[in-house]
Amino acid sequence: MSSHSVHAVDCQTPDGDTLALSGALTFATATRAYEDANAALERGARTRLDLSGLTRTDSAGLACVLALLAEASRARRPLRISNIPDSLRALAEVCDAREFLRT
């Protein structure tokens, strides 16, 4: 089931190594998306966070992705980001956080 509403971000596991986020990762959805994605990462040995399904992001979305990376690092779980949307890359550049979005 896929939901691309402004109120939800889907967390899918298309394979055993990937957690894929889709939908709008914004102020309205970031907290719930972080909770859902972090729980999914804790349940599995996923090492890739695929952002190709994101339709819109803002600074809260960037904070969510950075928080997922930080939590994975604290838990000593490798996690790399793939398919970073250009809008998220640009926002990370403006916020001087691009180096944290390892690809």
Side-chain angles (χ1 to χ4, degrees), residues 4-57:
H4 291 283
S5 80
V6 296
H7 302 293
V9 172
D10 272 348
C11 296
Q12 301 288 326
T13 51
D15 61 53
D17 192 45
T18 303
L19 177 64
L21 301 184
S22 61
L25 187 55
T26 64
F27 281 99
T29 63
T31 298
R32 179 64 185 261
Y34 170 79
E35 292 167 352
D36 291 349
N38 195 47
L41 290 169
E42 287 176 350
R43 285 192 304 270
R46 291 168 190 85
T47 63
R48 187 168 79 100
L49 182 62
D50 182 358
L51 303 181
S52 63
L54 293 180
T55 58
R56 195 172 64 138
T57 59

Side-chain angles (χ1 to χ4, degrees), residues 1-2 7-8 16-17 28 33 42 44 60 63 65 73 76 78 87 91 96:
M1 173 186 279
S2 179
H7 302 293
D17 192 45
E42 287 176 350
V65 171
S73 178
R76 298 186 191 280
S87 60
L91 186 56
D96 200 24

Side-chain angles (χ1 to χ4, degrees), residues 36-102:
D36 291 349
N38 195 47
L41 290 169
E42 287 176 350
R43 285 192 304 270
R46 291 168 190 85
T47 63
R48 187 168 79 100
L49 182 62
D50 182 358
L51 303 181
S52 63
L54 293 180
T55 58
R56 195 172 64 138
T57 59
D58 62 18
S59 59
L62 175 60
C64 175
V65 171
L66 293 175
L68 289 169
L69 287 169
E71 184 59 33
S73 178
R74 277 191 295 278
R76 298 186 191 280
R77 289 187 319 254
L79 183 63
R80 65 182 171 82
I81 308 290
S82 66
N83 302 310
I84 301 169
D86 290 339
S87 60
L88 194 62
R89 254 185 228 283
L91 186 56
E93 185 73 34
V94 168
C95 296
D96 200 24
R98 189 170 187 174
E99 68 186 73
F100 297 108
L101 296 181
R102 301 180 300 264

